Amino acid sequence: MENVKYIGMALCLAGMLGTGGAYPGSFSTGLKAESEAGLETIDAAEEAEPEISDSAESDSEEKIAGEKDEDYIYCVGSVSKVYATAAVMQLVDEGKVELDAPVTDYVPEFRLADERYKKITVRMLMDHTSGMMGTVWSNGFLYEDGNSIRHDSILDIWSGQRLKAEPGEYAAYCNDGFDLLEQIVEHVSGMSYTEYITKYIAEPTGGFSTGTGANYYDNPLLIPTYRNFIHYDNGICLEIGAGGIYATASDVANFGAGFFTGYNAILSDESKNAMSERWGGDKFSDKSGLGWDIVDKPEFEEAGVKVVGKGGDALQNHTFLYVAPEEEVSVAVISNEGSSDLDALMAEELMKIVMEEKGIEISAPETVKYELLSEIPAEYDEYAGYYAFSFSANGEIGEISFPDHKYMHIEYSGAFGTRSTDYMLTTEGSFAELSDDVMDGDVSDARTAGNAEILTFVKDAKGSIYIGIESKSVYPGIGTKDTCGYTAEKMTENPVSSDVMTAWAGYAEDKYYLVNERYDSASYDMSSTTYVVPSEVMPGYAFFVSNNQGSRLIRIEDTEHAGAFQTIPSSANRDLIDIEVTETEEGLSFTTNEGRHYISGKSIPVMDGTVTEVELKSDKASWYKISDDLANSTITAADRPENSNIIVYNKYGAVVYTTHRKDEKSEIPLPMDGMILFLGEDGGVVSLEH
């Protein structure tokens, strides 16, 4: 079976307002590749001749008629956050919402297990400064299903969460804030969010193929999903405010055109300008505006061009939207492979081409050269110690030392092993990554690595110590992504009793399996297993590991609780996790602040030849260990309810069989030391034939 990859691109230019749609002069190209090697064939629609309207303002005042096109429809992922922000800003324009009013004024049912939630304002949701923990993943992605289970339960899940920071203290990327904006739209407008977006955001900008996961889950034009050459059911994003808008590339570019200066189809210029203002902070703080990820791009600003941008990733779909409001250019790139970073580079190059045609040259930033110093002053000694790196995924603990005050050595340890890197002090006061490890303390031949990481220590007014990072990711033939942000914070010792340490060491001897999501949740194919790994270098800390979300560093509190401890003022600590351990008659279980419940592998029964029926439950997945006598054989489901699914995992936790694959075989493989999972609704029964 071929593995087909698609990219959709669309570009909207100034003056392309006509009677056939919002921006009929936009063009959309579809690039299709039929091999893993890369894009091989390109089919592009010709660019339409621009139609110059007498007045953009007059066009925006009349209802635009149009029809759905036949392009593929993608999930635009987190670009949906700009849609959610625009929807609420419309209500601001109408005087129905105030940006700096408490969220509880509009959603009275909203509460957290932290009284400070009452301070969270609407603006804080948009600029990621609410202090909320991050993302409720539970039932966020369902296969070909628009069920409202996540929407209907999320307020209850939030009610058990704490805040990680004082509202307004700093910006850290937060999906949940935009799902809360979704709730505001519904409460204030009296409409469902999907209805509101369709009527007041999509239609006025010609987005006639735009919908949400709630109503597009079975749309025949959805881009197909392939994984490792295998055709899967489409995983539908139901984190709708944060990531659940579905649209064609031209729809997204036309939506971006809604932010052109003077074109008020959806928002006033005052609201658009408010969205494009960056939240404050230092060099390493997040650089987002309201909804937008990018509101200042140095190389464009040097050329006198203001751009705003937003990227998004949702399973196989990836998106980037760039808009130059004054120059009236909107570029959208969407793909079902790759990443939003790659789409961003492509969109940026398209934007530069258009600017060049307008006589505006966008120059690449100058490469900074660093001069290395062979001596590190004693004043840097306070920075030696243990640091928590990369909190939200693949977290590590790094031990920093300054051997003979000649260079900086970082010894990293994580759930998956150890590594080390050496750095040298620069004349700028930062530390540049070296191309090779320092041998025997000899730094005479040391040189910086290609695209070296640059680390800078930052000490705040409270005495907390953080590390900022500047780096470049080079994509040959495509472009370079620059990164500047915080990456680590200095840790403190966390002394816990020997009894507590013994308990967590015991927890680490087992794996834990997700049980409480809907039968068609995509989580069971991707992040169904978790386990803990206590840190050896920093007792009292541990790594919480899942097979899709990497490892997150947590601090042990007692035998029943562990959780996030980070205070770093940036998205380096997005999506923080707290865990509660419970002992029941069935055995040990983990419950997370994300709304997920996991049971101990030790409590899972064995499937042998005597198991011929499995009773299904809506709120508890049925896991089985595959017995040795059935290993390497097959079974069939002689009778299986329509609302049910079966998934098989090998001993490494990889999926080897799932009913979410199109045309999956009827024979179900049973690998040695594997697991089999049955999912469904109350009253359902799966009958098995051995």
Side-chain angles (χ1 to χ4, degrees), residues 467-534:
I467 297 177
I469 185 172
E470 297 169 82
S471 65
K472 293 180 180 292
S473 299
V474 178
Y475 299 89
I478 302 177
T480 301
K481 177 189 176 184
D482 294 322
T483 298
C484 179
Y486 282 105
T487 188
E489 78 172 74
K490 194 171 186 181
M491 300 171 67
T492 59
E493 292 185 357
N494 181 37
V496 294
S497 70
S498 59
D499 289 344
V500 171
M501 290 299 295
T502 298
W504 281 87
Y507 305 157
E509 295 176 355
D510 199 3
K511 288 186 177 180
Y512 303 85
Y513 296 82
L514 182 65
V515 294
N516 70 324
E517 297 210 5
R518 188 171 161 83
Y519 70 89
D520 51 6
S521 170
S523 294
Y524 290 113
D525 280 70
M526 295 178 294
S527 56
S528 59
T529 309
T530 190
Y531 57 95
V532 294
V533 180

Side-chain angles (χ1 to χ4, degrees), residues 341-661:
D341 285 347
L342 294 174
D343 293 349
L345 293 173
M346 186 175 292
E348 186 173 327
E349 288 305 309
L350 288 171
M351 181 70 77
K352 289 178 180 178
I353 290 170
V354 176
M355 290 301 134
E356 185 176 345
E357 292 179 352
K358 290 175 172 286
I360 303 172
E361 182 179 355
I362 308 297
S363 301
E366 293 185 5
T367 301
V368 179
K369 295 183 179 180
Y370 293 92
E371 182 180 346
L372 303 181
L373 300 175
S374 59
E375 292 292 332
I376 299 176
E379 65 193 61
Y380 283 87
D381 287 349
E382 69 170 316
Y383 300 128
Y386 290 95
Y387 288 75
F389 280 81
S390 301
F391 306 131
S392 59
N394 299 324
E396 295 177 298
I397 295 175
E399 182 184 7
I400 292 181
S401 60
F402 304 102
D404 298 323
H405 287 89
K406 293 182 179 180
Y407 63 99
M408 180 171 73
H409 179 76
I410 305 183
E411 192 76 25
Y412 297 95
S413 63
F416 309 115
T418 61
R419 63 186 181 93
S420 64
T421 308
D422 290 336
Y423 303 77
M424 285 186 67
L425 184 64
T426 72
T427 53
E428 303 295 321
S430 56
F431 287 81
E433 177 189 5
L434 300 181
S435 59
D436 299 293
D437 291 343
V438 174
M439 302 299 292
D440 301 321
D442 184 4
V443 297
S444 59
D445 294 327
R447 59 184 184 277
T448 58
N451 302 311
E453 289 183 350
I454 306 299
L455 303 184
T456 302
F457 291 102
V458 177
K459 188 175 182 179
D460 70 8
K462 299 178 182 178
S464 298
I465 297 174
Y466 306 110
I467 297 177
I469 185 172
E470 297 169 82
S471 65
K472 293 180 180 292
S473 299
V474 178
Y475 299 89
I478 302 177
T480 301
K481 177 189 176 184
D482 294 322
T483 298
C484 179
Y486 282 105
T487 188
E489 78 172 74
K490 194 171 186 181
M491 300 171 67
T492 59
E493 292 185 357
N494 181 37
V496 294
S497 70
S498 59
D499 289 344
V500 171
M501 290 299 295
T502 298
W504 281 87
Y507 305 157
E509 295 176 355
D510 199 3
K511 288 186 177 180
Y512 303 85
Y513 296 82
L514 182 65
V515 294
N516 70 324
E517 297 210 5
R518 188 171 161 83
Y519 70 89
D520 51 6
S521 170
S523 294
Y524 290 113
D525 280 70
M526 295 178 294
S527 56
S528 59
T529 309
T530 190
Y531 57 95
V532 294
V533 180
S535 171
E536 295 183 359
V537 299
M538 282 292 282
Y541 292 88
F543 299 96
F544 186 76
V545 185
S546 69
N547 57 349
N548 183 57
Q549 294 178 290
S551 64
R552 287 179 279 181
L553 192 56
I554 54 176
R555 180 167 56 197
I556 297 169
E557 298 176 17
D558 52 40
T559 58
E560 298 177 350
H561 301 90
F565 59 91
Q566 296 82 356
T567 64
I568 192 169
S570 80
S571 290
N573 66 343
R574 60 174 287 185
D575 299 336
L576 299 187
I577 193 165
D578 289 339
I579 304 166
E580 182 176 4
V581 183
T582 306
E583 187 73 44
T584 68
E585 293 182 358
E586 296 179 334
L588 202 67
S589 65
F590 286 171
T591 301
T592 73
N593 64 317
E594 301 168 320
R596 287 176 166 168
H597 187 66
Y598 300 83
I599 62 169
S600 165
K602 295 178 181 178
S603 67
I604 293 175
V606 174
M607 168 173 280
D608 57 23
T610 65
V611 179
T612 58
E613 287 189 345
V614 177
E615 295 184 3
L616 304 176
K617 298 180 181 179
S618 299
D619 58 353
K620 187 175 181 182
S622 298
W623 287 89
Y624 287 88
K625 299 173 185 175
I626 297 171
S627 66
D628 290 346
D629 61 334
L630 287 183
N632 300 321
S633 66
T634 63
I635 58 174
T636 59
D639 186 26
R640 178 171 70 86
E642 181 179 354
N643 293 342
S644 66
N645 284 291
I646 301 173
I647 306 174
V648 179
Y649 310 81
N650 65 18
K651 64 180 180 181
Y652 302 109
V655 173
V656 296
Y657 176 96
T658 173
T659 46
H660 293 302
R661 292 172 179 164

Side-chain angles (χ1 to χ4, degrees), residues 57 89 93 257-277 325-326 328:
E57 181 68 28
M89 292 303 288
D93 279 343
F259 293 90
F260 290 176
T261 301
Y263 176 57
N264 299 329
I266 54 175
L267 288 176
S268 68
D269 281 348
E270 181 181 1
S271 285
K272 287 180 281 189
N273 291 336
M275 288 177 63
S276 67
E277 294 177 2
E326 292 291 337
E328 298 183 311

Side-chain angles (χ1 to χ4, degrees), residues 122 144 294 317 481:
V122 177
E144 300 187 348
I294 295 172
N317 291 182
K481 177 189 176 184

Side-chain angles (χ1 to χ4, degrees), residues 1-7 31-33 70-75 143-144 217 219-236 246 314-318 335-337 660 662:
M1 183 180 294
E2 65 179 2
N3 193 38
V4 182
K5 303 177 183 179
Y6 300 85
I7 295 180
L31 286 71
K32 182 176 74 173
E70 294 300 314
D71 291 340
Y72 275 126
I73 295 170
Y74 303 74
C75 178
Y143 281 110
E144 300 187 348
Y217 61 90
N219 192 298
L221 290 177
L222 288 181
I223 192 78
T225 295
Y226 285 84
R227 298 180 197 156
N228 299 322
F229 300 92
I230 299 173
H231 193 185
Y232 274 72
D233 294 337
N234 282 316
I236 303 302
Y246 283 75
L315 298 183
Q316 272 64 47
N317 291 182
H318 313 280
S335 64
N336 76 329
E337 288 289 349
H660 293 302
K662 302 288 189 182

